[in-house]
Amino acid sequence: MASSSRVPPSQDRWGLAALVDLEAQLFADRGLHEQELAARDVPIGRALRVEHQSRPSLLAGWVSAMRNGAAAPLPGRFVQAVWTQAKWALAVVLFLVGLGAAAAVLRFTGDHPINVLVVLGVFVFGQLAALLLTVLFFAVAAWAPGFFESLPLVVLARAAVVSSWRRWVRRPEGGTREKLGWVRGRRSLYSRVERNLLFVLLQQGAVAFNLGVLSSFLVAVTFSDLAFGWGTTLSIGAEQLHRACAALSAPWASWLEGATVSAELVRATQYSRLEGDYVTAADGAGRALSMYGHWWRFLVVSIITYGLLPRLILLVHSNGMLRRALDRMPPETPEVQRLLMRMTTPSVHASHEDDPGDTSRLGEGFDAVGRPPSRFEQTTAACARWRDAVFDDAALGAFLEQHYGLGIDGEVGSAGGHDYEADRAFLGRVRSNDLPIFIVAEPWGAPDRAFQRFVAEVRADGGERRHVNVVLTEGGTADDVAVWRGYLSEMADPYLALERTQMPCQQRAS
């Protein structure tokens, strides 16, 4: 079991390695009793919640603590390393494929010129078709996951992952089949991440392929005297090909004129393999031979525009989608909910625990926390439900009107729960005004450091004199109320108050 006596603040960003380690540790925790898990996780949660933590940051901190205290290394960083190596290995392979493909297409022996239509067909139109299929494939996969599951490429990628997993878990005690069963059973939870991982992999490979093509092209142009021509058995004339080239070069024609082709160039480079010569060779006896190499600028810019740039854009976009998908992970499974509950459930006692000899009650030696003013300058108050306090909003409105002459400003917010976005939303609201704040809590929901942090957030940005008032609902014992009173007293905040009159949990019928 990981040690929790010293938990360093986590600097790890939530990502693939943390997600894998979370799942691996949740699997390992299945054999532990809930009391053992609580004894380990409660101190970790207490140490991590010193600062305001989002849900992913809290889980990443827990994973970091597990890594520091694990008897055997967790597999997350290994999986991350395998993923990184797979990306670069595929990129190297496809770079070499692009290099070789371009070298084959640009092979010029002097017998016949390089066919421009072949270059355009393979490296421009072929890539546009592949790009369209890629986008269509992932759009359909997002809409119909079953289509994605059965594709050969996906099956192959999963086989590689299973092979890596078997390599990682190969230990004398076995358990490989059970662990793989756990992974397969939870695979549907991470289908979005899986799709985006594959999407990133393919886009990086496509970028490498285009870089290989361009590298081969530039080497051939630099160190060889290339001649280009065009010819086809289809009924395509020089004017039609010129219009097609003009359409392709439209994005850069106005600012990169050297990378366009003229009608004269198209007519001059029409080639007949049957005759073994350019069609207009007899008419252009005085034409410079260098004209036959002028196609290369147009071809290079076309490959960059229609091959490399779209893939770069998709690579950036796919990395963003992967980041967003990972940020939404893990889903709210029962295992994750229990973990968060163990880390965030308050553990407050009526006596101090730091010094075993200190048995003084909470709040002893501090000024008793006061009650809210009977009347406020404002006519409304910002109200929030602390954690899962159960009460009727209408009952709260009647309570505030009766005791303070206040109404509720907007909706009743939430604070102190597992949804930290709700805390941020409420804090964002109160920062835009100077209304008094009323926090409604249940007496047995004892305060903890989360409450201190919440008040500190309220006090930030010039809110030192804002009234923060705690109202307890009915129920609980006198000791429960004493815990609240003592805890708030020790915060020594003159603008913090506790309403001694308990609010009804439900609105009473008249």
Side-chain angles (χ1 to χ4, degrees):
M1 184 184 299
S3 173
S4 59
S5 58
R6 185 173 61 88
V7 183
S10 173
Q11 301 298 324
D12 294 340
R13 186 179 182 185
W14 180 254
L16 180 61
L19 185 62
V20 171
D21 282 346
L22 174 68
E23 286 294 324
Q25 190 62 48
L26 290 177
F27 173 82
D29 288 349
R30 295 195 308 168
L32 299 179
H33 193 273
E34 189 66 24
Q35 292 181 344
E36 295 179 87
L37 298 175
R40 179 196 68 191
D41 296 338
V42 168
I44 295 175
R46 185 180 301 126
L48 291 174
R49 286 165 62 87
V50 172
E51 298 180 356
H52 190 73
Q53 297 274 4
S54 65
R55 179 174 175 269
S57 297
L58 191 62
L59 291 173
W62 180 83
V63 168
S64 180
M66 294 300 100
R67 288 171 179 163
N68 294 333
L74 293 172
R77 287 170 178 164
F78 170 76
V79 173
Q80 180 73 56
V82 170
W83 156 246
T84 303
Q85 292 168 8
K87 285 198 302 181
W88 287 110
L90 181 64
V92 170
V93 169
L94 288 181
F95 178 85
L96 295 176
V97 169
L99 206 67
V105 171
L106 297 175
R107 185 172 179 270
F108 178 58
T109 62
D111 297 333
H112 301 287
I114 300 165
N115 196 335
V116 170
L117 297 181
V118 174
V119 178
L120 290 174
V122 174
F123 298 123
V124 176
F125 296 113
Q127 291 211 82
L128 286 175
L131 180 68
L132 178 61
L133 287 175
T134 300
V135 174
L136 181 63
F137 159 69
F138 280 97
V140 173
W143 176 67
F147 169 77
F148 178 81
E149 297 285 329
S150 58
L151 287 172
L153 183 61
V154 177
V155 175
L156 181 63
R158 284 178 175 164
V161 172
V162 170
S163 176
S164 299
W165 180 269
R166 289 182 185 276
R167 174 184 168 189
W168 177 263
V169 300
R170 188 170 59 237
R171 297 190 179 98
E173 65 269 20
T176 301
R177 179 172 298 180
E178 184 181 6
K179 293 174 183 177
L180 286 175
W182 168 267
V183 172
R184 292 191 185 99
R186 299 173 73 81
R187 193 168 60 195
S188 61
L189 300 174
Y190 303 103
S191 59
R192 183 186 296 273
V193 172
E194 186 181 42
R195 286 197 305 273
N196 287 314
L197 286 170
L198 186 58
F199 198 26
V200 169
L201 189 71
L202 292 178
Q203 301 323 303
Q204 183 161 315
V207 168
F209 173 82
N210 279 279
L211 290 176
V213 171
L214 291 169
S215 299
S216 184
F217 220 111
L218 295 177
V219 168
V221 168
T222 303
F223 298 103
S224 299
D225 186 12
L226 302 181
F228 293 93
W230 66 274
T232 175
T233 56
L234 301 176
S235 300
I236 298 177
E239 294 300 324
Q240 291 173 300
L241 180 59
H242 177 254
R243 286 196 296 270
C245 291
L248 286 175
S249 60
W252 65 85
S254 61
W255 55 274
L256 193 60
E257 188 176 352
T260 61
V261 293
S262 63
E264 180 188 2
L265 178 63
V266 175
R267 286 193 299 269
T269 54
Q270 186 173 3
Y271 187 84
S272 173
R273 292 178 65 88
L274 295 177
E275 298 178 4
D277 201 356
Y278 289 96
V279 173
T280 59
D283 299 332
R287 183 180 294 113
L289 295 177
S290 61
M291 170 176 274
Y292 299 122
H294 284 179
W295 278 95
W296 76 269
R297 294 184 182 88
F298 166 77
L299 295 175
V300 166
V301 177
S302 295
I303 294 170
I304 292 174
T305 303
Y306 299 107
L308 179 62
L309 286 181
R311 292 296 184 170
L312 281 174
I313 292 171
L314 280 182
L315 178 60
V316 173
H317 177 65
S318 61
N319 274 303
M321 290 196 304
L322 177 60
R323 182 71 260 159
R324 290 191 294 272
L326 288 171
D327 287 342
R328 287 194 289 266
M329 293 290 120
E332 290 287 352
T333 60
E335 295 84 5
V336 173
Q337 289 179 339
R338 285 196 291 269
L339 169 60
L340 288 171
M341 186 66 70
R342 290 194 298 269
M343 296 177 69
T344 57
T345 298
S347 178
V348 179
H349 301 276
S351 60
H352 294 271
E353 297 178 341
D354 297 336
D355 181 2
D358 185 359
T359 58
S360 60
R361 303 289 294 181
L362 277 172
E364 187 171 325
F366 292 84
D367 290 338
V369 64
R371 299 185 68 166
S374 58
R375 284 293 181 267
F376 292 86
E377 296 179 359
Q378 298 84 352
T379 58
T380 58
C383 301
R385 185 187 315 271
W386 185 253
R387 295 211 163 96
D388 298 322
V390 178
F391 62 88
D392 189 82
D393 291 359
L396 174 60
F399 182 86
L400 294 179
E401 175 64 30
Q402 177 183 354
H403 290 83
Y404 310 105
L406 294 173
I408 299 177
D409 179 69
E411 297 181 352
V412 176
S414 297
H418 296 153
D419 186 0
Y420 300 107
E421 295 302 322
D423 289 55
R424 290 197 181 101
F426 181 75
L427 290 168
R429 281 174 49 196
V430 301
R431 287 195 181 104
S432 64
N433 56 57
D434 60 350
L435 299 178
I437 297 174
F438 280 80
I439 304 298
V440 183
E442 293 172 329
W444 49 86
D448 57 2
R449 288 178 178 174
F451 187 83
Q452 285 187 349
R453 185 171 60 252
F454 175 80
V455 174
E457 292 281 352
V458 172
R459 296 284 177 245
D461 302 326
E464 294 85 358
R465 297 187 178 184
R466 183 189 291 268
H467 289 276
V468 179
N469 312 286
V470 177
V471 176
L472 301 180
T473 62
E474 290 180 334
T477 65
D479 287 339
D480 294 330
V481 178
V483 168
W484 274 97
R485 185 182 298 114
Y487 195 93
L488 299 184
S489 296
E490 291 195 3
M491 288 180 67
D493 187 330
Y495 292 94
L496 185 63
L498 175 68
E499 174 55 70
R500 313 295 170 83
T501 304
Q502 294 183 313
M503 195 196 78
C505 291
Q506 299 293 335
Q507 187 175 17
R508 291 189 176 94
S510 56

